[in-house]
Amino acid sequence: MVDADEFRRAWAYDRADALAWAGTALGVLVLGLQGGIVLGIALSLATLLYRASTPHIAVVGRVAGTEHFRNVQRYEVESLPGVMMVRVDESLDFTNIQHVEMGLSDMLNRRPQVHSLVLLLSAVNRIDHSALQALIEFDDAQTAQGRTLYLAEVKGPVMDRLRRVSLDKRFAGRIFWSAQHAWDALQTRQ
């Protein structure tokens, strides 16, 4: 019943999924059908929680001659002096906000010349209350360090919630429709 080719394909694609798959198969052999399925569900939930709590954070730049922004580690891109654009690839909540803050702080510590930080929130579908408070504190910390925090590509439902607590007023003039709008605005401020 175990297809070795399928396992190799799963391993090549996503090792955590492959391990959950193998754990389920092994669990069925050792614990029986129900026990194996429960083990597989537990492994899948653990993987899901781990991924949500450690989101990918990418410094991005603009692909020359376009309005496309991509990871600086994967593409040859342009950057603005003193500006760091960062994309967070997960919704922000109590499980991951500390990881995100530490990642951003580490990136900024390695780039002391940065005076403007743009958070691209295109992959953020939700910001919970804990993450919202942390974002406000992070904004205050950046201001104290002489940096300005900007937001870009904020989805409608997220923006609706930010408006409910007047964060749109706090970030007035610092929220952009797109990464390109942020680029254009910050380029003129150089």
Side-chain angles (χ1 to χ4, degrees):
M1 293 283 222
V2 176
D3 183 344
D5 288 335
E6 186 62 30
F7 178 75
R8 279 192 287 279
R9 201 171 12 262
W11 184 262
Y13 184 73
D14 186 327
R15 290 187 175 158
D17 282 349
L19 289 173
W21 183 78
T24 303
L26 185 61
V28 167
L29 292 174
V30 174
L31 305 171
L33 182 62
Q34 288 180 338
I37 290 173
V38 169
L39 178 62
I41 291 170
L43 290 170
S44 294
L45 287 174
T47 300
L48 182 67
L49 185 59
Y50 174 76
R51 287 180 179 156
S53 66
T54 57
H56 180 253
I57 303 168
V59 176
V60 300
R62 187 175 74 170
V63 176
T66 72
E67 293 186 1
H68 298 284
F69 289 77
R70 297 291 184 262
N71 188 328
V72 300
Q73 295 180 344
R74 296 176 185 258
Y75 296 89
E76 191 168 319
V77 295
E78 304 171 322
S79 298
L80 293 173
V83 176
M84 187 169 72
M85 301 179 86
V86 179
R87 187 188 67 234
V88 179
D89 292 337
E90 184 67 56
S91 290
L92 299 175
D93 59 37
F94 72 96
T95 66
N96 64 20
I97 193 62
Q98 187 174 16
H99 174 81
V100 171
E101 280 184 292
M102 288 173 34
L104 292 173
S105 294
D106 183 51
M107 290 173 180
L108 288 166
N109 288 337
R110 287 185 271 130
R111 295 170 183 84
Q113 75 282 8
V114 170
H115 55 74
S116 298
L117 172 63
V118 181
L119 286 184
L120 302 179
L121 302 179
S122 55
V124 175
N125 294 319
R126 186 178 54 80
I127 299 175
D128 78 0
H129 184 71
S130 297
L132 179 68
Q133 289 305 116
L135 183 64
I136 291 168
E137 291 170 15
F138 185 77
D139 182 42
D140 289 340
Q142 297 317 299
T143 300
Q145 294 175 31
R147 287 190 205 99
T148 306
L149 176 62
Y150 298 90
L151 306 178
E153 300 186 4
V154 182
K155 292 184 175 182
V158 174
M159 194 66 210
D160 292 344
R161 288 175 176 244
L162 295 180
R163 283 188 184 111
R164 284 186 217 152
V165 293
S166 299
L167 227 63
D168 59 325
K169 291 180 177 69
R170 178 189 180 102
F171 281 92
R174 298 188 289 147
I175 300 176
F176 299 103
W177 284 103
S178 68
Q180 183 62 48
H181 285 125
W183 177 278
D184 293 340
L186 294 173
Q187 189 173 36
T188 62
R189 295 177 191 175
Q190 296 289 331

